[in-house]
Amino acid sequence: MTILEDRPSNPAAGDHDRPIGHGRMQRKEDPRFVRGKGHYVDDIVLPGMLHGAILRAPVAHARLVSIDTTEALAHPKVLAVITGTDLQALGLAWAPTLSMDVQAVLVTDKVRFQGQEVAFVVAEDRYAARDALELIQVEYDVLPPVVDARKAMDPSAPIIRDDLAGRTDNHIFDWEAGDKAETDAVFASADVVVKQEIVYPRVHPAPMETCGAVADFDPIDGRLTLYETTQAPHAHRTLFAMVSGIPEHKIRVVSPDIGGGFGNKVGIYPGYILAVVGSIVTGKPVKWVEDRSENLMSTSFARDYIMQGEIAATKDGKILALRTNVLADHGAFNATAQPTKYPAGFFHIFTGSYDLAAAHCTVTGVYTNKAPGGVAYACSFRVTEAVYLVERMVDILARKLDMDPAELRLKNFIKKEQFPYANKTGWEYDSGDYEPTMRLSMKMAGYDELRREQKEKRERGELMGIGISFFTETVGAGPRKDMDILGLGMADGAELRIHPTGKAVVRISVQSQGQGHETTFAQIVAEEIGIPPEDIDVVHGDTDQTPFGLGTYGSRSTPVSGAAVALVARKVREKARFIAAAMLETRPEDLEWEKGRWFVKGDPSVGKTIAEIAMGAHGTIALPEGIDGNLDAEVTYDPPNLTFPFGAYICVVDVDPGTGHVKVRRFIAVDDCGTRINPMIIEGQIHGGLTDGVGMALMEIIEFDDEGNCLGGSFMDYLLPTAMEVPDWETGFTVTPSPHHPIGAKGVGESATVGSPPAVVNAVVDALAPFGVVHMDMPCTPARVWEAMQGRTRPPV
Amino acid sequence: MQIPAPFEYVRASSVDNALALLDRHGPESRVVAGGHSLLPMMKLRLARPDWLIDINDLFELDYLLVDTVPNNGRVLRIGAMTRHTTLLESDDIKRLFPIVIDAERVIADPIVRNRGTIGGSLCQADPAEDLSTVCHVLEGVAVVRGPAGERMLSMAEFHRGPYETAVAQNELLIEVRVPIRDDSGSAYEKVERRIGDWAVAAAGASVTLAADGTISHVAVGLTAVGLDRNVTEVEAVLVGQAPTEQLFVEAGRLTSLACDPLADQRGPVDYKRHLADELTRRVLRAACRRAAASISDITI
Amino acid sequence: MQISMTINGTFVTHEVEPRVLLVHFIRDDLRLTGTHWGCDTTNCGTCVVLMDGQPVKSCTVLAAMVDGHTITTVEGLANGATLDPVQQGFMEEHGLQCGFCTPGMMLTARALLDHNPHPEPLQIREAISGQICRCTGYATIVRSIQWAAEHPAGAAPETTTSESTEQEVHA
């Protein structure tokens, strides 16, 4: 049955209408944001604060011959100029990355990408700091760069990482998943095999707020307070302690309001470390905030995967196997932010939503003279690349078999009764019911009618395309038996206190960059203990105020921290039962729970509300043995498995046959993220991700020229979609709860970014079918689309 | 954030005052109007004037009026400080020169258009700048004032090449005069990677129809494809002919031969040549349709 | 040099370097940090403020150029405790997530509605096309501005029950 969702009424409308728990309610954080009272890193001003600026390398590969800072130091407002040599003396010239490599904080020996950090100026104001950069004289001995990842392993390629002992090539790792022999055997006997090189070009998360920090080192008690744009304050604190030698209890990391993250703010960038060094050297707080070019040219990029895909099927459309060899460009340092064991992230979920007999992938990582990164931009640890590969390959197969792409997908889905489903590369999908989701999207789109319209238009020479993508995400990293980042298990903590008057504070280890944690997590607590969300304060983003946990990325907040919050609330609820029993002079087992209240079984009029119980806990009644006098609890949640949200997306495009310009006319998105907490916030997460997908599919790319110059170093060339490029999104949902999550929620933050790019590209390729186009790589700019129409599809890199 | 290098700032109170200030501060002084071309260059420190002369108070240059001037006949006079938004919202422009509306809709974005001026756009002379092409096509005349008085320059004289105009360091563009032709129509179309981006390529056309429905006057111009003049090659083919699809196809072909684009991130050479052809056909079609609409008894 | 302007109804006089950008003057000198910046190149619109009632990108205007003019920032949108309908609309319709582009979006919305009280969705999209939001995908911003257009006097708390354009389909 299809129904329109009732929109719960406004929370301001009166107590009787307020959702106690799950449901649409306005965000608790919005009143400050709409008044301009958000508090972001660049809004912080501390007494005596100085400003830092980074001198960056103008070339991609060069030996550093000399740096002369004399003139800069002579600037009347300059207090310090820090170079790589200075850092070497402190043992801080190199810092560990999140992928067991090292990255230069400041260049000591060699520049390895354009925009790399060369020197750090500390001055009285930001204008003077910028002026002084021009006064630093640097001599470079320019070297030939490695720009094309395909040539990185050529014997003649220059060795980028000669800082690593014994390094004789640009190879980082080889990694594989699945059974090669089994897969090859299935391919050998398949009726149909199609192959395609598929490139997912380098893109950038580009949050509207760039990265920055304010470091405040107190030389007297040796305490560092670091305000940072970070998605993972606790992990940063631990890593800072490990790198700097400042003991962890003397470090406080504060992540205030963050102007978008999308994975850009997971890693530790040289700028953060330099702000700390600047504060230590000058004895004053130092602020560093990068400009947009610095953000685009030096911080974590995403993707850059060259994938050779192959799909095998029977001639009647039963997909049998998938295999791929991937060349991964990781830039000059292997700094991808992902669980330690997975150098290709979760790419090996590339079997997608289909029940396959075999699958195998290999991934080879190489160094190039480009900025480091790779895992960012709402990619769920490279599920983006995986979904893009499989959803493009399925479409290419549909073309080969002359089958409708929707029909081909429906025929090959993992069936509801197969869950939990073990795929061929080691994942256990928790739950799924794909067909209803697919059918709903087709119904919302009017799929058959669209195909009829397309047929008519083709006869008139008009180019209309319909693209489908069905994705399965894997999020909520992750079980500590399988996953860690630099040895830190990927768990999250939560602490809940009910104050004597029945108001509450919940402290969480994840950090919002706009996802609405202050609302969603209050709603989870509200649902579990029955007090209104507005009576629950959510504290996050400050390591002194919150329990340890790994932070917000990979759509893990609700699957991991959300579970922790539900469990801590249940722990409080259970404790409340004992206290209520004492207050009512009965036995705990004689009490029954209704939202917000324990009452005596069979006599609902006798009971105690959570507020009464909280007062009781802090009051004077005799408490049962083993129950201490508060209504507080804490938990650390180690997820037993990941969660597997999924969705069906349909994109309709019109292509101007004369110019190659693509217009996204409609976009239908049906998501299943399990139990839904706040539908308004969920819809917002999906809308944002769909826009990312349109951006990547049509315009976003970080390109380099032959000298390694970054061609996407400003918003003039790194194009992001505006309100004019995206349609009014049409969203729908199904609900398939996660069986292992306490409230059945699966996470949704990255679903749409992961799932939407193939829908758009499939639509463009579908539109270009009359020209014989089977595949084109992103971005589908007017020029590239026109070239495809001329039979000249070309990879973007 | 990027920050300009230091400079001195002075606000001009009149055109004469601005000219005197330019004269006084010499070659290292620059005039700033909307600032949306100059300030970004200064932030990148690619432009480093010693003196910035702000002419935003020259309200005397913010006007649009239909006038009759000696030797030019009826013209639309556009003051150099007229903001893009003013052009876009003008009923006179909508009626007389729809090409300006077509172009203004795709110049940067509405907020930039609130600040940017026609004078600033023309003087920046960016090869991807849309109003330069529009003024070429409309055969506008630039009125430039300096210590020696005013001079009138055709767009061909005014526009010397990429980023280069005939306005001397101590002169100011004060007005653009656009001749008003009866029975005319005009149009502009641009292909861009995204709204607000500079053109991959664009074309503009202005057409005047004779009483018999044939083309009596035509101009075609291109943006961002290496041709900073009108495509005179097409005029001989079009003038005197009845507007037909066949004719537009030929005009498009000639235009694509006349242009000289460079390959860049926006596209390869052959694509841009193709766009010159495609867009020329489109704007000629639209301009003829609009011209015909202004003459009730002709339909095409 | 000395400059004076009226900002959010208050007349201020300040000494500035000629090169100080309006966005820095507002943020650093006046400590009105609701105005953000995001790009340097006049592309993102995060820094939009109203200058004499019109949206401008304050990263590409010198503070000196504003001498004698009137500026409205996000801090000047509300009338005391009463939010502007645009601010209410953004909360009602989830027109913001991280909040970074929001002040600029709301100011453009205010100027649009002052100029055109009943804009069509496409007109709203055009009006905000010089501003980038990475979180919302714009549809909810459009709805937020429509909400403000439909509630020109804002809404009293007891009457804010919704008539949203949002229609999610559920199987």
Side-chain angles (χ1 to χ4, degrees), chain C residues 41-69:
Chain C
T41 48
T42 329
N43 295 99
C44 81
T46 302
C47 63
V48 163
V49 298
L50 302 186
M51 178 172 171
D52 304 327
Q54 268 195 332
V56 297
K57 296 184 175 179
S58 64
C59 77
T60 309
V61 176
L62 299 171
M65 295 167 90
V66 184
D67 183 29
H69 292 265

Side-chain angles (χ1 to χ4, degrees), chain A residues 362-515:
Chain A
T362 66
V363 182
T364 297
V366 296
Y367 290 119
T368 60
N369 286 112
K370 301 177 196 167
V375 170
Y377 205 168
C379 73
S380 300
F381 302 119
R382 298 210 192 263
V383 184
T384 33
E385 290 92 325
V387 165
Y388 184 64
L389 175 79
V390 63
E391 289 305 292
R392 276 272 56 239
M393 290 308 297
V394 167
D395 251 42
I396 293 167
L397 177 65
R399 182 79 68 82
K400 175 87 174 183
L401 297 171
D402 198 20
M403 266 180 86
D404 182 277
E407 189 192 329
L408 180 60
R409 285 176 171 85
L410 284 163
K411 190 181 171 93
N412 286 282
F413 281 149
I414 303 162
K415 301 283 180 289
K416 183 182 182 181
E417 56 276 14
Q418 289 176 278
F419 290 93
Y421 175 80
N423 90 332
K424 289 292 178 181
T425 51
W427 299 96
E428 189 182 294
Y429 295 26
D430 60 346
S431 64
D433 187 5
Y434 295 163
E435 185 173 335
T437 309
M438 184 72 198
R439 297 267 181 217
L440 177 59
S441 73
M442 292 169 72
K443 182 173 179 179
M444 285 171 65
Y447 185 73
D448 296 339
E449 180 52 38
L450 285 172
R451 285 289 176 206
R452 269 195 294 279
E453 179 192 348
Q454 180 184 43
K455 190 162 176 282
E456 286 167 24
K457 288 201 159 151
R458 276 191 182 156
E459 281 160 14
R460 296 200 297 267
E462 292 173 40
L463 304 178
M464 168 185 169
I466 304 157
I468 298 169
S469 162
F470 195 100
F471 68 92
T472 297
E473 262 267 57
T474 177
V475 305
R480 61 188 290 158
K481 63 182 184 337
D482 299 325
M483 288 173 201
D484 68 277
I485 289 185
L486 294 187
L488 299 171
M490 300 187 74
D492 277 282
E495 293 173 8
L496 177 62
R497 281 187 207 168
I498 314 294
H499 303 309
T501 55
K503 313 293 180 185
V505 57
V506 61
R507 300 166 190 279
I508 56 174
S509 55
V510 294
Q511 158 61 31
S512 171
Q513 309 104 46
Q515 297 91 336

Side-chain angles (χ1 to χ4, degrees), chain A residues 3-13 17-19 22-27 676 678-681 683 733, chain C residues 88-95 140 143-144 147 150-151 159-169:
Chain A
I3 54 160
L4 287 181
E5 187 194 27
D6 290 331
R7 184 176 127 162
S9 55
N10 189 290
D17 283 337
R18 292 182 196 191
H22 303 171
R24 187 189 203 275
M25 65 171 276
Q26 279 187 16
R27 297 200 319 167
R676 294 153 59 83
N678 185 326
M680 178 188 86
I681 288 178
E683 187 193 35
F733 67 94
Chain C
Q88 291 184 33
F90 272 69
M91 296 208 295
E92 284 282 344
E93 297 294 346
H94 196 30
T140 55
R143 288 179 203 164
S144 300
W147 189 97
E150 289 156 12
H151 301 79
T159 61
T160 43
T161 40
S162 51
E163 57 277 2
S164 174
T165 50
E166 166 188 25
Q167 287 196 335
E168 270 204 304
V169 181

Side-chain angles (χ1 to χ4, degrees), chain A residues 336-348:
Chain A
T336 57
Q338 67 206 0
T340 307
K341 270 203 321 205
Y342 303 96
F346 298 165
F347 177 77
H348 54 304

Side-chain angles (χ1 to χ4, degrees), chain B residues 98-99 102 137 185-189 203-206 282-284 286-287 290:
Chain B
I99 184 175
D102 292 346
V137 166
S186 59
Y188 191 77
E189 188 167 337
S206 172
R282 289 185 186 191
V283 293
L284 279 171
R290 285 168 175 175

Side-chain angles (χ1 to χ4, degrees), chain A residues 213-288:
Chain A
V214 178
D216 184 10
F217 183 73
D218 182 337
I220 297 166
D221 66 4
R223 194 175 165 80
L224 171 68
T225 306
L226 181 61
Y227 304 88
E228 266 190 305
T229 49
T230 175
Q231 299 177 219
H234 288 279
H236 274 212
R237 182 185 60 179
T238 302
L239 292 174
F240 268 106
M242 287 157 65
V243 172
S244 69
I246 301 171
E248 194 165 1
H249 68 294
K250 294 281 192 185
I251 302 176
R252 175 184 173 205
V253 172
V254 181
S255 185
D257 286 326
I258 300 294
F262 319 109
N264 191 225
K265 294 166 179 169
V266 176
I268 295 184
Y269 297 121
Y272 303 155
I273 300 171
L274 291 167
V276 173
V277 173
S279 183
I280 292 172
V281 166
T282 61
K284 292 191 169 168
V286 172
K287 177 187 281 185
W288 164 76

